[in-house]
Amino acid sequence: MRRLERKDMRAFLDKLASAASLVAPVREDGVVVFRPVSSGEQVVLDYVNPVRSAKELFFPQTEVMFRFLPSPVAGITPVQPDRQTVLFGIRPCDLAALSLLDEVFLGGDYRDACWARRRELTTLVGMACEQPDESSCFCTAFGITPGTADGADIMLYPAGEWLGVEVLTPRGQALLDRVLSDGAVALGEIGPPGAASQAGAGGGAGEAGDRLQQEYLKRPVRLGDRLRVGDLAKELDDRFDDPYWEEASRRCLGCGICTYLCPTCHCFLVTDVPKRDDGVRLRCWDSCQFKDFLLMAGGHNPRPTKKERTRQRFMHKLNYFVHRYGRYLCTGCGRCVQHCPVGLDMATVIADLRGVSEHV
Amino acid sequence: MMPHLARIEEIVAETASGDVKTFRVQFLDPETSFSHLPGQCAMVSVLGVGEAMISISSSPTRPRPLELAVKQVGRLTARLHEMEPGDVIGVRGPYGNHFPFEDMKGKDLLFIGGGIGLAPLRSLINYVLDNRGDYGKIDIIYGARSPGDLCFKRELYDVWPLAPDTRVLLTVDRGDEEWKGAVALVPHFLEQVHPEPEGKLAITCGPPIMIKFTLESLKKLGFADEQIVTTLELKMQCGIGKCGRCNIGSRYVCLDGPVFTLAQLETMPAEY
């Protein structure tokens, strides 16, 4: 691990922006969101987590899959992203969410070309969480911590006047090499001045970096540390007909905000937009919480009421996905906790299902 | 999710009202790799309207042209029904599992179809008849609302009954002046025919309500859950397990279905 002085952060971001198209947290209309930026000036560093997750960089809310000419001429031209991108400031929960969505989009017999291409083109610069939100973050319930760097190419660990910089992949190293190439930004060694700068002089710098990392891995996450997920997936095998679903669903508004902000929700619909002579086929985010999500031509709807739709969302994440992929489809990012207008969020539902109430 | 372009060669009106048509299509690029198994489906595009999952009604033993029997029920199928020979659609797939035609070898087969539900069964029926020696006796029970609503009439009357050891037993909900056959709902008719379950596999497809009562009738006749095979359909957008729509519990109809045994269905939530 190396050391980046906080005063050099803007210059570091400027270099990232010149190395590739940079996407980073910015404040827009009072909330923090990931946006393309052209300089370090625009980037906010005092954020807990952008309100919208990082999934939209790889799975946009609306995405053109191809252009077409309709019958009788008929032709199809695929649209493929081609820009090298750096995503700066992604948190451990969103990193974990990307790896869960990799299971969906890249696993099995069918590889999703659009997702794969964006993943290949994007270098991830992660940011460990200095201050997880007291009332909404619960990543530790799913084994993720404020310092979990899995999936990042480079991970940054804030440490007061400086940040620890850990390179995790060759892609991360290549990016860092480009950033440092002209000497405008330099990384220092961690540890007491002098002692650590002597190459091969011992483990001082390494130990200090490890300590910083360990401290992040063990950093408390109030809500997550209290939620005990345990064998919930297995328990839910027998709870499809639990009266809880009906009861919990009564307060759902069906607004779908949980699914839109969730970093792991991936339902989409496909729609054609015809123009005068040609058109595009789009895929757009969709929500299992909408009443016509499963409405079929002919009028049949297997999930006609909020009970079925509420059950579908939570069972999918806490049971069905575990059966299919061996992992829970939630990373405890807390966005649903913060934004569900009626408090029907993942932390609440887990606590309810486990019969514990101390989480708030 | 990129469709292959395919030209409609021929359109056959299956029903008197024309609400079911069979589309015979050829891929524009003859090199297109697309080889299906009986029971598999394809995502069919009408460019400018969208895509829908349609079962393939031709047998893999007669691979081209690909045949898709489509009932007009919604927006996409309405536009498809307006198309003419020479028009170009998109086809991708094949998707899903298939009828267990290997496990069926040596067994007697009882097909029970209702309305457009005969479309996926037809793929298997023609496959079995093209490999006639591998299978035992074949009974095809098929019903529709009225005589005019029976699909694949040429095969029902002139082809399948002439195959060795093969019976075609037709019924309608409502007859007309010319109809001399049975008038009964498919599940009732099935009970009248009273097939013995020994050494037999029942394969059924039709409207959900028909399937529901047919399964009950089959159980009444002594068929075990493992002897009953059916197909499910749910709304789909991708066909490849990503859009999150067609799951029943942890299974996706597009990947793990559409073909399920009743034994499998009994282990799944009844949310379809």
Side-chain angles (χ1 to χ4, degrees):
Chain A
M1 191 184 286
R2 311 279 301 279
R3 169 180 171 133
L4 171 67
E5 298 306 321
R6 201 170 272 277
K7 65 179 168 51
D8 293 337
M9 194 60 181
R10 299 291 167 199
F12 180 80
L13 286 163
D14 285 343
K15 286 289 162 195
L16 286 180
S18 60
S21 59
L22 176 63
V23 176
V26 302
R27 194 163 274 114
E28 191 178 270
D29 298 331
V31 295
V32 175
V33 285
F34 286 117
R35 283 283 180 268
V37 295
S38 50
S39 78
E41 282 286 278
Q42 300 158 262
V43 180
V44 296
L45 296 168
D46 59 332
Y47 66 102
V48 177
N49 213 355
V51 63
R52 293 165 65 123
S53 84
K55 80 176 172 191
E56 65 183 320
L57 273 302
F58 306 91
F59 170 49
Q61 187 170 348
T62 300
E63 175 172 39
V64 176
M65 292 195 293
F66 57 81
R67 298 183 182 284
F68 61 79
L69 293 167
S71 183
V73 185
I76 287 173
T77 317
V79 175
Q80 279 255 324
D82 57 2
R83 295 188 68 142
Q84 291 282 346
T85 302
V86 172
L87 173 58
F88 173 88
I90 180 172
R91 298 295 192 186
C93 52
D94 278 10
L95 284 168
L98 293 182
S99 84
L100 285 164
L101 292 184
D102 281 345
E103 304 267 16
V104 175
F105 286 115
L106 306 180
D109 294 337
Y110 303 98
R111 192 179 157 83
D112 187 85
C114 300
W115 175 272
R117 184 80 183 128
R118 287 196 163 86
R119 288 286 271 143
E120 282 157 19
L121 286 167
T122 307
T123 307
L124 299 171
V125 181
M127 181 74 84
C129 301
E130 257 183 305
Q131 278 194 310
D133 187 71
E134 283 271 301
S135 58
S136 65
C137 288
F138 63 105
C139 60
T140 50
F142 293 103
I144 302 157
T145 77
T148 305
D150 297 348
D153 295 298
I154 297 174
M155 193 71 180
L156 303 179
Y157 297 89
E161 291 302 300
W162 53 278
L163 299 95
V165 180
E166 167 111 70
V167 176
L168 293 137
T169 65
R171 183 162 67 178
Q173 188 61 56
L175 176 66
L176 194 61
D177 289 347
R178 259 181 297 159
V179 167
L180 302 178
S181 60
D182 68 355
V185 182
L187 299 183
E189 302 298 334
I190 301 175
S197 60
Q198 293 164 15
E207 278 171 24
D210 287 347
R211 271 201 306 279
L212 178 60
Q213 206 168 16
Q214 282 302 317
E215 196 266 314
Y216 270 102
L217 292 173
K218 291 181 185 139
R219 190 161 289 214
V221 178
R222 185 181 157 274
L223 180 52
D225 295 345
R226 291 184 187 197
L227 279 178
R228 299 273 173 270
V229 174
D231 272 345
L232 184 56
K234 204 165 163 27
E235 290 165 25
L236 288 175
D237 282 347
D238 301 321
R239 294 180 69 176
F240 185 82
D241 294 315
D242 196 308
Y244 174 72
W245 302 119
E246 161 78 43
E247 189 191 309
S249 72
R250 279 188 210 133
R251 64 184 191 270
C252 178
L253 304 174
C255 70
I257 189 87
C258 51
T259 54
Y260 276 66
L261 298 183
C262 178
T264 66
C265 273
H266 56 85
C267 291
F268 60 84
L269 65 81
V270 173
T271 188
D272 284 5
V273 181
K275 299 190 180 142
R276 230 173 111 96
D277 299 316
D278 60 355
V280 290
R281 176 163 293 172
L282 307 175
R283 70 171 169 195
C284 311
W285 292 357
D286 201 351
S287 173
C288 61
Q289 300 306 293
F290 295 158
K291 69 176 182 345
D292 57 356
F293 181 72
L294 213 52
L295 178 67
M296 290 188 260
H300 179 55
N301 189 347
R303 295 188 209 123
T305 75
K306 286 193 291 187
K307 175 186 122 183
E308 292 87 20
R309 298 194 285 272
T310 298
R311 176 173 61 195
Q312 165 64 19
R313 175 167 156 80
F314 292 103
M315 285 291 278
H316 181 212
K317 291 183 182 295
L318 299 173
N319 177 269
Y320 306 158
F321 196 86
V322 183
H323 276 289
R324 205 158 184 104
Y325 297 106
R327 302 162 69 185
Y328 286 101
L329 188 64
C330 174
T331 66
C333 77
R335 290 182 178 91
C336 56
V337 182
Q338 287 194 325
H339 296 281
C340 176
V342 297
L344 185 60
D345 56 76
M346 188 56 88
T348 300
V349 169
I350 291 172
D352 287 350
L353 291 169
R354 302 282 298 163
V356 294
S357 55
E358 77 272 32
H359 81 281
V360 278
Chain B
M1 295 179 60
M2 302 292 293
H4 305 292
L5 295 175
R7 176 164 284 115
I8 299 171
E9 269 191 344
E10 192 186 351
I11 300 173
V12 181
E14 297 288 353
T15 54
S17 69
D19 67 340
V20 176
K21 290 179 180 174
T22 291
F23 296 82
R24 297 209 166 97
V25 305
Q26 290 282 7
F27 291 104
L28 293 196
D29 177 358
E31 302 294 303
T32 301
S33 80
F34 187 107
S35 59
H36 72 285
L37 297 168
Q40 285 194 298
C41 302
M43 279 300 259
V44 174
S45 283
V46 177
L47 296 170
V49 182
E51 242 180 353
M53 192 66 104
I54 305 286
S55 69
I56 300 166
S57 53
S58 47
S59 164
T61 47
R62 312 164 194 185
R64 299 289 185 272
L66 196 69
E67 294 179 338
L68 305 156
V70 181
K71 181 168 177 161
Q72 186 186 325
V73 281
R75 215 165 48 93
L76 180 127
T77 51
R79 278 292 289 280
L80 189 58
H81 270 239
E82 287 166 9
M83 293 185 121
E84 290 172 0
D87 270 324
V88 176
I89 61 173
V91 177
R92 61 185 174 94
Y95 294 133
N97 66 354
H98 53 79
F99 289 114
F101 56 88
E102 289 290 338
D103 302 341
M104 290 175 174
K105 282 187 180 167
K107 299 207 169 86
D108 293 342
L109 303 179
L110 170 64
F111 292 94
I112 308 157
I116 183 68
L118 188 58
L121 297 182
R122 176 178 179 259
S123 173
L124 180 60
I125 291 169
N126 282 331
Y127 178 89
V128 165
L129 293 179
D130 287 346
N131 295 278
R132 190 66 195 87
D134 291 344
Y135 300 90
K137 288 180 183 146
I138 297 172
D139 280 345
I140 300 165
I141 293 178
Y142 178 50
R145 280 171 305 180
S146 73
D149 288 312
L150 294 165
C151 299
F152 309 114
K153 289 190 188 64
R154 195 181 68 84
E155 284 162 314
L156 288 178
Y157 293 117
D158 301 335
V159 182
W160 294 341
L162 307 183
D165 268 339
T166 303
R167 289 197 299 170
V168 176
L169 306 158
L170 302 177
T171 181
V172 293
D173 300 352
R174 288 184 310 277
D176 58 23
E177 312 79 69
E178 289 168 36
W179 181 253
K180 305 270 191 309
V183 178
L185 297 174
V186 169
H188 297 157
F189 183 60
L190 168 65
E191 289 182 32
Q192 288 164 24
V193 173
H194 206 86
E196 297 295 332
E198 284 76 45
K200 211 170 259 151
L201 265 184
I203 308 105
T204 182
C205 185
I209 190 76
M210 184 215 94
I211 293 185
K212 182 171 182 281
F213 288 107
T214 297
L215 297 179
E216 286 177 15
S217 296
L218 285 168
K219 288 187 139 188
K220 215 185 285 178
L221 290 164
F223 281 80
D225 291 353
E226 293 75 20
Q227 288 176 282
I228 304 173
V229 177
T230 188
T231 70
L232 295 180
E233 68 176 342
L234 278 184
K235 188 163 173 148
M236 295 176 190
Q237 297 283 312
C238 71
I240 52 177
K242 317 225 182 281
C243 77
R245 205 162 300 248
C246 68
N247 73 294
I248 298 170
S250 60
R251 314 224 193 182
Y252 280 106
V253 175
C254 67
L255 293 177
D256 308 315
V259 178
F260 295 95
T261 64
L262 185 55
Q264 287 173 315
L265 288 186
E266 299 283 4
T267 69
M268 293 157 61
E271 194 174 66
Y272 47 85

